[in-house]
């Protein structure tokens, strides 16, 4: 690199810093040339906080800190002056989007890649992880290349023309950008302090895009709470590395009052402290604290968030609106239901003005465009049912507006929707989609993927747990956990997501979308239509109305929702119908054993809904009926009758009848899930064993008199 070129790059970073802006430098060429060129360029730049994402040996040669792309979460919450992303080593979209937000004002992001015209056929090493390596053409990468080529603020350095890249000429502004607290951020700090000193059970929820200073505001407020007399503030996050900014600002606020400083704790003279605990440790140890703060809350499983909410008197949640860990919008929509139910006096605040760079920063806009981070579901007047048109749709061929509308629907409908989901949707060769349209506007969308079709020998290996091919989530789960190898042999269309705009729900649009997918399955000769989702009784009822039936309930909670996955299936061919029936009968037979061991705390309404959906697996004899009659009349004890009560709920129509009874929760907790009388009493379902048994006896008496025929 010539001395003139070096001066040009230095001048660029100085002008960017003064303007409070950042830029992407796209380095296009062969991998060795890209690495060599960027290493030379780095010699002219301030690389004191530089990060190289790629191979460790390349980072070492460049004299930079290095991480692999899959380790990107370690760097969240930190800041970088220069970011080098070696795309030849893989480009997980969540990582690319997230780490771009670590770049400071004046920073450059060097992205090492093939020429833009080759992106659509570039074999990204990250594709293997997701099964996308089977696609010949990658629409997601092609779309990104188009966005980059059209953006005049992207600096392109191309092999063979590297000495003369077109560098932007920034006009000097009336003032130089300075990193300072914004009025919005200062107001949030004040609000957090009032919350931390105020009344109990009034949680605060903070949402903001990256770079708005929410973590810094949390840290400043935590320190001011100690200065105001609080003794212990606890903070948690998906990782302590995410809290670098939090602890730095807290330490600066405490100043000379700080007696001990660690990466995960600050202690004042006198012992008042701010400490970090992983969420699991926080919930396991339940330490006393006046205030608990949860940063990057959308990255914490929903069921843990609820436990934190109920476990301490004052809890603040902060989440990035758009980021790797899922959208704060999806987090807010799903978690809002919990807040409304448990703490109806909760408060919400949002930050809009950037702190770490200037408003209108070209890189922030570019990253938002690349990954549709600002995708919003459309707002239109609710139509008459006859105005809705449901059609087959190809997102990879859609206009930017239509794609943004559809992706916005997915964001609003799901707890965690990330840039990786957009790539999977566009690039999965087995993907099929439908959309519902009103006057040209997308109001509903269904995304599905064809799974299965494995060779019988491979399917047997999958069922035994010896092999796990990429993809085929539902097919492999039913083969392995359900115990039916043919589930991996048959071809099934799995509904990945279905979403309808809030204004258009309860009009039957979701059912129309599923009906279209079901019809397509028959046309294509597929064996079944299936889905897997975080268990919730309303969703279960929706899929039942669409003709699907429960075939499995997962043994472990989903990380994203904290719910147990419910898997449902509808057989459409003869063998598909046989598979569905076989899975259901086997699961029904195992249900009484699995429930108390794996789902002892499952919500009674969901538990009953799953149980009512399953085929009958028991019949009562004369002795069983005699025991039930004696129990109902008060002559036989509960413990002696429990085996028969568990048989009773496996009989045809019994659980469906119990669903309509006011004492359903008492039945589920005591009979189905095997709780103790103390546990039921603590849950407020009865005052003790005597009252509880009376309620169960009444249920059995009514069932024998007015329930289904036994």
């Amino acid at each position: 690199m010539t001395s003139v070129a070096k001066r040009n790059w230095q001048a660029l970073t100085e002008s960017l810093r003064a303007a409070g802006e950042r830029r992407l430098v796209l380095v296009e060429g062969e991998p060795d040339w890209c690495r060599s060129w960027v290493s030379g360029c780095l010699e002219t730049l301030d690389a004191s906080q530089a990060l190289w994402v790629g191979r460790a040996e390349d980072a070492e040669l460049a004299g930079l800190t290095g991480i692999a792309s899959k380790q990107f979460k370690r760097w969240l919450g930190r800041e970088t002056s220069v970011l080098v992303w070696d795309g030849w080593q893989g480009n997980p979209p969540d990582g690319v989007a997230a780490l771009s937000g670590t770049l400071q004002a004046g920073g450059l992001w060097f992205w090492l890649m093939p020429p833009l015209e080759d992106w659509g056929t570039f074999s990204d090493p990250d594709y293997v992880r997701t099964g996308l390596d089977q696609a010949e053409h990658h629409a997601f990468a092609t779309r990104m290349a188009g966005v980059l080529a059209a953006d005049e603020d992207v600096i392109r350095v191309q092999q063979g023309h590297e000495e003369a890249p077109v560098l932007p000429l920034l006009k000097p502004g009336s003032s130089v950008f300075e990193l300072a607290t914004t009025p919005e951020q200062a107001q949030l700090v004040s609000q957090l302090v009032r919350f931390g000193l105020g009344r109990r059970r009034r949680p605060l929820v903070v949402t903001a895009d990256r770079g708005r200073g929410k973590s810094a505001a949390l840290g400043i407020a935590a320190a001011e709470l100690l200065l105001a007399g609080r003794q212990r503030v606890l903070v948690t996050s998906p990782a302590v590395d995410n809290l670098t900014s939090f602890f730095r600002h807290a330490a600066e606020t405490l100043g000379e009052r700080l007696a001990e400083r660690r990466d995960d704790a600050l202690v004042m003279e006198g012992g008042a402290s701010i400490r970090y605990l992983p969420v699991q440790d926080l919930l396991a140890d339940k330490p006393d604290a006046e205030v608990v703060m949860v940063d990057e809350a959308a990255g914490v499983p929903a069921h843990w968030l609820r436990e934190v909410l109920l476990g301490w008197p004052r809890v603040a949640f902060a989440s990035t609106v758009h980021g790797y860990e899922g959208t704060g919008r999806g987090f807010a929509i799903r978690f809002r239901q919990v807040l409304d139910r448990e703490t109806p006096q909760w408060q919400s605040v949002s930050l809009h003005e950037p702190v770490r760079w200037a408003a209108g920063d070209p890189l922030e806009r570019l990253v938002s465009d690349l990954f549709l981070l600002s995708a919003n579901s459309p707002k239109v007047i609710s139509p008459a049912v006859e105005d809705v048109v449901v059609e087959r749709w190809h997102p990879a061929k859609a206009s930017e507006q239509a794609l943004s509308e559809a992706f916005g629907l997915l964001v609003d409908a799901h707890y965690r929707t990330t840039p990786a989901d957009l790539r999977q949707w566009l690039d999965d060769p087995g993907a099929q989609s439908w959309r519902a349209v009103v006057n040209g506007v997308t109001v509903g969308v269904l995304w599905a993927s064809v799974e299965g079709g494995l060779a019988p020998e491979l399917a047997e290996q999958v069922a035994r747990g010896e092999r796990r091919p990429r993809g085929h989530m539902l097919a492999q789960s039913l083969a392995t956990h359900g115990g039916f190898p043919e589930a991996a042999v048959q071809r099934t269309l799995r509904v990945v997501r279905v979403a309808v705009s809030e204004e258009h729900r309860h009009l039957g649009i979701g059912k129309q979308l599923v009906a279209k997918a079901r019809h397509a399955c028959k046309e294509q000769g597929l064996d079944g239509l299936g889905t897997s989702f975080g268990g919730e009784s309303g969703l279960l009822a929706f899929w039942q109305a669409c003709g699907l039936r429960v075939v499995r309930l997962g043994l472990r909670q989903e990380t994203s929702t904290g719910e147990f996955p419910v898997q449902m299936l509808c057989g459409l061919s003869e063998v598909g119908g046989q598979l569905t029936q076989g899975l259901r009968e086997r699961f029904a037979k195992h249900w009484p054993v699995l429930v108390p061991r794996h789902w002892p705390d499952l919500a009674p309404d969901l538990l009953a809904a799953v149980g009512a959906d399953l085929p009958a697996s028991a019949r009562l004899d004369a002795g069983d009926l005699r025991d039930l009659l004696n129990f109902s009349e008060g002559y036989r004890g509960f413990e002696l009758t429990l085996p028969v009560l568990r048989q009773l709920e496996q009989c045809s129509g019994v659980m469906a009848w119990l669903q309509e009874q006011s004492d359903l929760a008492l039945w589920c907790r005591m009979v189905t899930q095997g709780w103790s009388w103390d546990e039921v009493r603590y849950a407020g379902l009865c005052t003790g064993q005597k009252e509880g048994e009376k309620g169960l006896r009444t249920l059995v008496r009514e069932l024998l008199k007015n329930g289904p025929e036994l």
Side-chain angles (χ1 to χ4, degrees), residues 34-96:
C34 289
R35 293 166 190 141
S36 175
W37 183 89
V38 80
S39 294
C41 189
L42 288 171
E43 296 174 1
T44 70
L45 305 175
D46 173 16
S48 58
Q49 289 179 274
L51 177 66
W52 185 296
V53 183
R55 297 187 306 193
E57 55 266 33
D58 294 326
E60 187 176 351
L61 283 172
L64 302 186
T65 301
I67 61 172
S69 60
K70 64 182 179 181
Q71 299 172 310
F72 71 90
K73 294 180 184 180
R74 287 173 39 194
W75 218 258
L76 297 175
R78 307 189 194 187
E79 296 182 358
T80 54
S81 56
V82 174
L83 175 65
V84 180
W85 187 289
D86 187 351
W88 288 95
Q89 298 302 306
N91 299 277
D94 295 352
V96 175

XYZ file of all heavy atoms in Angstrom, residues 34-96:
484
model
N -7.223 -11.375 0.065
C -8.052 -10.569 0.968
C -7.371 -10.404 2.326
O -7.301 -9.290 2.869
C -9.417 -11.227 1.160
S -10.506 -11.169 -0.281
N -6.875 -11.509 2.869
C -6.248 -11.459 4.198
C -4.969 -10.633 4.169
O -4.675 -9.870 5.098
C -5.969 -12.879 4.679
C -7.244 -13.682 4.948
C -6.986 -15.168 5.102
N -8.253 -15.902 5.113
C -8.446 -17.076 4.516
N -7.449 -17.671 3.871
N -9.628 -17.647 4.557
N -4.196 -10.790 3.086
C -2.945 -10.047 2.982
C -3.217 -8.550 2.855
O -2.572 -7.730 3.518
C -2.150 -10.541 1.771
O -1.002 -9.760 1.576
N -4.203 -8.196 2.023
C -4.487 -6.774 1.817
C -4.973 -6.117 3.107
O -4.518 -5.033 3.475
C -5.541 -6.592 0.724
C -5.780 -5.142 0.451
C -5.126 -4.349 -0.445
C -6.707 -4.284 1.139
N -5.585 -3.049 -0.373
C -6.557 -2.980 0.597
C -7.635 -4.473 2.148
C -7.308 -1.897 1.031
C -8.383 -3.392 2.594
C -8.223 -2.125 2.031
N -5.899 -6.764 3.802
C -6.443 -6.136 5.001
C -5.386 -6.044 6.096
O -5.362 -5.084 6.867
C -7.708 -6.876 5.489
C -7.363 -8.132 6.274
C -8.579 -5.959 6.346
N -4.471 -7.022 6.166
C -3.388 -6.955 7.156
C -2.512 -5.737 6.903
O -2.088 -5.045 7.841
C -2.543 -8.232 7.113
O -3.306 -9.351 7.524
N -2.254 -5.449 5.623
C -1.465 -4.274 5.292
C -2.193 -2.991 5.624
O -1.595 -2.025 6.126
N -3.492 -2.962 5.378
C -4.278 -1.760 5.658
C -4.350 -1.475 7.153
O -4.354 -0.317 7.587
C -5.680 -1.912 5.082
S -6.688 -0.405 5.142
N -4.389 -2.550 7.952
C -4.500 -2.384 9.403
C -3.306 -1.650 9.992
O -3.411 -1.028 11.050
C -4.640 -3.758 10.078
C -5.989 -4.462 9.888
C -5.911 -5.889 10.408
C -7.097 -3.701 10.607
N -2.151 -1.709 9.301
C -0.951 -1.038 9.796
C -1.135 0.478 9.862
O -0.433 1.164 10.598
C 0.239 -1.374 8.896
C 0.610 -2.855 8.915
C 1.703 -3.176 7.905
O 2.165 -2.230 7.222
O 2.079 -4.358 7.793
N -2.099 0.986 9.119
C -2.308 2.435 9.077
C -3.407 2.898 10.027
O -3.632 4.101 10.157
C -2.701 2.867 7.647
O -4.035 2.396 7.361
C -1.744 2.304 6.625
N -4.095 1.948 10.674
C -5.281 2.286 11.468
C -5.057 2.046 12.952
O -4.129 1.327 13.345
C -6.479 1.451 10.992
C -6.824 1.546 9.508
C -7.949 0.585 9.173
C -7.199 2.977 9.133
N -5.917 2.635 13.755
C -5.904 2.393 15.197
C -6.549 1.031 15.452
O -7.773 0.893 15.377
C -6.677 3.487 15.926
C -6.840 3.189 17.420
O -6.105 2.315 17.937
O -7.710 3.817 18.056
N -5.734 0.033 15.724
C -6.235 -1.328 15.916
C -6.191 -1.737 17.381
O -6.159 -2.927 17.706
C -5.418 -2.311 15.073
N -6.214 -0.751 18.278
C -6.105 -1.063 19.708
C -7.289 -1.869 20.214
O -7.163 -2.642 21.169
C -5.979 0.240 20.509
O -7.112 1.082 20.263
N -8.446 -1.698 19.581
C -9.624 -2.465 19.969
C -10.164 -3.255 18.784
O -11.360 -3.432 18.631
C -10.718 -1.527 20.509
C -10.402 -0.917 21.864
C -11.524 0.006 22.316
O -11.562 1.180 21.965
N -12.440 -0.543 23.094
N -9.246 -3.737 17.951
C -9.645 -4.454 16.743
C -9.943 -5.922 17.056
O -9.374 -6.514 17.971
C -8.554 -4.351 15.682
N -10.837 -6.493 16.266
C -11.221 -7.897 16.412
C -11.204 -8.546 15.048
O -11.749 -8.008 14.082
C -12.621 -8.005 17.024
C -13.195 -9.422 17.179
C -12.386 -10.223 18.198
C -14.670 -9.368 17.568
N -10.595 -9.734 14.979
C -10.555 -10.517 13.739
C -11.436 -11.747 13.939
O -11.206 -12.546 14.840
C -9.116 -10.942 13.425
C -8.942 -11.664 12.112
C -9.452 -12.870 11.750
C -8.174 -11.208 10.981
N -9.081 -13.198 10.474
C -8.290 -12.197 9.975
C -7.417 -10.070 10.728
C -7.649 -12.075 8.727
C -6.790 -9.951 9.491
C -6.907 -10.938 8.506
N -12.445 -11.892 13.096
C -13.341 -13.045 13.158
C -12.971 -13.982 12.020
O -13.151 -13.653 10.843
C -14.820 -12.615 13.042
C -15.731 -13.833 13.193
C -15.156 -11.561 14.083
N -12.432 -15.130 12.378
C -11.978 -16.083 11.369
C -11.022 -17.076 11.985
O -11.204 -17.503 13.130
N -9.970 -17.422 11.248
C -8.997 -18.394 11.747
C -8.043 -17.744 12.748
O -7.619 -16.600 12.566
C -8.198 -18.986 10.585
C -9.034 -19.768 9.590
C -8.178 -20.467 8.558
N -7.259 -19.561 7.875
C -6.582 -19.874 6.769
N -6.747 -21.071 6.228
N -5.763 -19.006 6.214
N -7.690 -18.501 13.780
C -6.817 -17.979 14.826
C -5.450 -17.597 14.269
O -4.861 -16.576 14.663
C -6.668 -19.013 15.947
N -4.925 -18.399 13.330
C -3.587 -18.118 12.798
C -3.563 -16.816 11.993
O -2.560 -16.092 11.991
C -3.086 -19.281 11.929
C -4.003 -19.689 10.784
C -4.946 -20.817 11.151
O -5.364 -20.877 12.325
O -5.250 -21.640 10.250
N -4.662 -16.502 11.311
C -4.712 -15.249 10.556
C -4.773 -14.052 11.496
O -4.150 -13.018 11.244
C -5.929 -15.246 9.627
C -5.829 -16.305 8.536
O -4.710 -16.562 8.075
O -6.870 -16.878 8.165
N -5.543 -14.185 12.575
C -5.613 -13.109 13.568
C -4.252 -12.883 14.201
O -3.826 -11.731 14.417
C -6.653 -13.456 14.634
N -3.557 -13.975 14.482
C -2.237 -13.864 15.109
C -1.242 -13.179 14.184
O -0.458 -12.322 14.608
C -1.738 -15.260 15.491
C -0.460 -15.248 16.300
C -0.046 -16.639 16.750
O -0.847 -17.588 16.572
O 1.072 -16.777 17.284
N -1.288 -13.535 12.892
C -0.388 -12.906 11.924
C -0.653 -11.407 11.814
O 0.266 -10.613 11.624
C -0.548 -13.568 10.550
C 0.114 -14.939 10.366
C -0.289 -15.550 9.031
C 1.636 -14.806 10.454
N -1.919 -11.025 11.951
C -2.273 -9.612 11.869
C -2.065 -8.892 13.195
O -2.196 -7.663 13.271
C -3.734 -9.467 11.433
N -1.741 -9.638 14.247
C -1.521 -9.042 15.558
C -2.795 -8.598 16.252
O -2.776 -7.667 17.066
N -3.915 -9.284 15.950
C -5.198 -8.894 16.522
C -5.769 -10.006 17.399
O -5.417 -11.173 17.266
C -6.215 -8.595 15.406
C -5.868 -7.520 14.385
C -7.055 -7.293 13.468
C -5.457 -6.228 15.060
N -6.678 -9.621 18.277
C -7.476 -10.598 19.010
C -8.383 -11.297 18.016
O -8.988 -10.646 17.150
C -8.332 -9.913 20.085
O -7.469 -9.226 20.983
C -9.178 -10.924 20.839
N -8.492 -12.610 18.120
C -9.290 -13.350 17.156
C -10.291 -14.281 17.809
O -10.053 -14.804 18.899
N -11.430 -14.457 17.151
C -12.431 -15.441 17.569
C -12.980 -16.113 16.321
O -12.916 -15.559 15.218
C -13.598 -14.812 18.363
C -14.343 -13.784 17.517
C -13.119 -14.204 19.668
C -15.626 -13.267 18.151
N -13.527 -17.314 16.483
C -14.233 -17.976 15.393
C -15.626 -17.371 15.275
O -16.178 -16.836 16.246
C -14.324 -19.477 15.654
N -16.212 -17.443 14.094
C -17.514 -16.805 13.874
C -18.582 -17.354 14.811
O -19.470 -16.615 15.246
C -17.950 -16.990 12.420
O -18.070 -18.367 12.091
N -18.496 -18.627 15.163
C -19.509 -19.216 16.035
C -19.389 -18.727 17.480
O -20.269 -18.969 18.299
C -19.423 -20.741 16.008
C -18.120 -21.305 16.553
C -18.084 -22.821 16.442
C -16.781 -23.395 16.966
N -16.740 -24.882 16.830
N -18.299 -18.014 17.795
C -18.089 -17.497 19.146
C -18.508 -16.037 19.286
O -18.167 -15.373 20.255
C -16.600 -17.624 19.519
C -16.069 -19.051 19.524
C -14.557 -19.098 19.720
O -13.807 -18.394 19.029
N -14.107 -19.920 20.649
N -19.301 -15.539 18.338
C -19.594 -14.104 18.311
C -20.283 -13.612 19.578
O -20.128 -12.450 19.961
C -20.439 -13.762 17.076
C -21.857 -14.266 17.121
C -22.865 -13.495 17.664
C -22.187 -15.506 16.604
C -24.167 -13.948 17.696
C -23.488 -15.970 16.626
C -24.486 -15.183 17.177
N -21.038 -14.474 20.258
C -21.768 -14.018 21.446
C -20.824 -13.572 22.561
O -21.203 -12.778 23.419
C -22.675 -15.135 21.954
C -23.792 -15.497 20.993
C -24.669 -16.611 21.536
C -25.727 -17.023 20.530
N -26.587 -18.113 21.033
N -19.587 -14.079 22.535
C -18.618 -13.690 23.569
C -18.295 -12.209 23.506
O -17.841 -11.627 24.497
C -17.322 -14.488 23.395
C -17.402 -15.948 23.792
C -16.117 -16.680 23.408
N -14.930 -15.869 23.626
C -13.732 -16.163 23.130
N -13.573 -17.242 22.393
N -12.695 -15.395 23.381
N -18.479 -11.594 22.346
C -18.016 -10.220 22.166
C -19.133 -9.195 22.308
O -18.897 -7.993 22.235
C -17.340 -10.073 20.801
C -16.148 -9.174 20.873
C -16.084 -7.878 20.467
C -14.863 -9.470 21.416
N -14.838 -7.352 20.707
C -14.056 -8.324 21.288
C -14.292 -10.610 21.982
C -12.743 -8.271 21.706
C -12.980 -10.567 22.392
C -12.221 -9.412 22.260
N -20.330 -9.637 22.492
C -21.434 -8.699 22.645
C -21.279 -7.933 23.955
O -20.874 -8.486 24.965
C -22.767 -9.442 22.605
C -23.049 -10.150 21.282
C -24.318 -10.940 21.372
C -23.110 -9.159 20.142
N -21.619 -6.671 23.936
C -21.440 -5.820 25.107
C -20.094 -5.132 25.123
O -19.844 -4.273 25.961
N -19.203 -5.493 24.175
C -17.913 -4.819 24.065
C -17.936 -3.873 22.872
O -18.904 -3.811 22.124
C -16.788 -5.845 23.897
C -16.782 -6.934 24.968
C -15.528 -7.763 24.853
N -15.617 -8.995 25.630
C -14.604 -9.834 25.802
N -13.437 -9.587 25.261
N -14.755 -10.929 26.519
N -16.835 -3.154 22.681
C -16.738 -2.228 21.563
C -15.481 -2.527 20.764
O -14.485 -3.015 21.297
C -16.726 -0.775 22.056
C -18.022 -0.371 22.747
C -18.019 1.080 23.178
O -16.981 1.760 22.965
O -19.033 1.540 23.717
N -15.534 -2.240 19.462
C -14.386 -2.455 18.583
C -14.123 -1.182 17.790
O -15.049 -0.449 17.437
C -14.635 -3.621 17.600
O -15.853 -3.370 16.893
C -14.742 -4.941 18.337
N -12.840 -0.931 17.511
C -12.470 0.197 16.656
C -12.368 -0.250 15.208
O -12.588 0.532 14.280
C -11.131 0.788 17.110
O -10.122 -0.218 17.116
N -12.008 -1.522 15.014
C -11.925 -2.139 13.687
C -12.456 -3.558 13.807
O -12.135 -4.271 14.760
C -10.473 -2.171 13.151
C -10.405 -2.945 11.837
C -9.935 -0.764 12.954
N -13.273 -3.961 12.842
C -13.788 -5.327 12.814
C -13.397 -5.951 11.486
O -13.727 -5.423 10.416
C -15.310 -5.326 12.967
C -16.023 -6.681 12.839
C -15.606 -7.614 13.968
C -17.539 -6.491 12.825
N -12.685 -7.071 11.549
C -12.352 -7.836 10.341
C -13.156 -9.127 10.383
O -13.016 -9.917 11.325
C -10.844 -8.157 10.260
C -10.543 -8.956 8.997
C -10.018 -6.878 10.294
N -13.997 -9.311 9.392
C -14.804 -10.538 9.326
C -14.369 -11.316 8.084
O -14.618 -10.885 6.960
C -16.301 -10.205 9.248
C -17.142 -11.448 9.352
C -17.271 -12.427 8.414
C -17.922 -11.874 10.475
N -18.081 -13.437 8.867
C -18.497 -13.119 10.122
C -18.195 -11.312 11.711
C -19.336 -13.815 11.002
C -19.029 -12.013 12.580
C -19.593 -13.240 12.225
N -13.734 -12.470 8.306
C -13.277 -13.314 7.205
C -14.437 -14.194 6.750
O -14.667 -15.284 7.273
C -12.087 -14.169 7.649
C -11.463 -14.944 6.492
O -12.053 -14.951 5.392
O -10.387 -15.547 6.691
N -15.172 -13.704 5.764
C -16.332 -14.439 5.280
C -15.994 -15.742 4.605
O -16.870 -16.603 4.447
N -14.732 -15.925 4.209
C -14.319 -17.199 3.623
C -14.398 -18.326 4.644
O -14.411 -19.501 4.277
C -12.898 -17.093 3.070
C -12.815 -16.262 1.830
C -12.515 -14.934 1.741
C -13.065 -16.697 0.492
N -12.552 -14.512 0.438
C -12.878 -15.581 -0.357
C -13.403 -17.924 -0.086
C -13.036 -15.654 -1.742
C -13.559 -17.999 -1.465
C -13.379 -16.880 -2.275
N -14.467 -17.967 5.941
C -14.574 -18.972 7.003
C -16.010 -19.167 7.472
O -16.262 -19.935 8.399
C -13.697 -18.555 8.192
C -12.220 -18.466 7.872
C -11.679 -19.791 7.342
O -11.839 -20.830 7.985
N -11.052 -19.757 6.170
N -16.960 -18.470 6.863
C -18.361 -18.656 7.239
C -19.011 -17.363 7.678
O -18.363 -16.497 8.290
N -20.307 -17.233 7.359
C -21.028 -15.995 7.639
C -22.373 -16.255 8.310
O -23.428 -16.026 7.706
C -21.257 -15.236 6.326
C -19.969 -14.841 5.639
O -19.364 -13.835 5.972
N -19.541 -15.649 4.672
N -22.383 -16.739 9.552
C -23.676 -16.884 10.236
C -24.339 -15.517 10.355
O -23.761 -14.593 10.930
C -23.295 -17.452 11.607
C -21.846 -17.113 11.792
C -21.256 -17.114 10.424
N -25.539 -15.341 9.818
C -26.149 -14.008 9.786
C -26.308 -13.370 11.160
O -26.146 -12.164 11.305
C -27.516 -14.270 9.135
C -27.337 -15.519 8.351
C -26.373 -16.352 9.137
N -26.635 -14.176 12.170
C -26.808 -13.616 13.509
C -25.511 -12.985 13.999
O -25.515 -11.925 14.625
C -27.252 -14.701 14.497
C -28.625 -15.256 14.169
O -29.288 -14.696 13.276
O -29.024 -16.251 14.795
N -24.393 -13.642 13.723
C -23.102 -13.117 14.158
C -22.708 -11.858 13.417
O -22.228 -10.884 14.007
N -22.908 -11.862 12.093
C -22.579 -10.686 11.293
C -23.379 -9.478 11.777
O -22.843 -8.384 11.986
C -22.860 -10.960 9.801
C -22.642 -9.690 8.986
C -21.960 -12.073 9.275
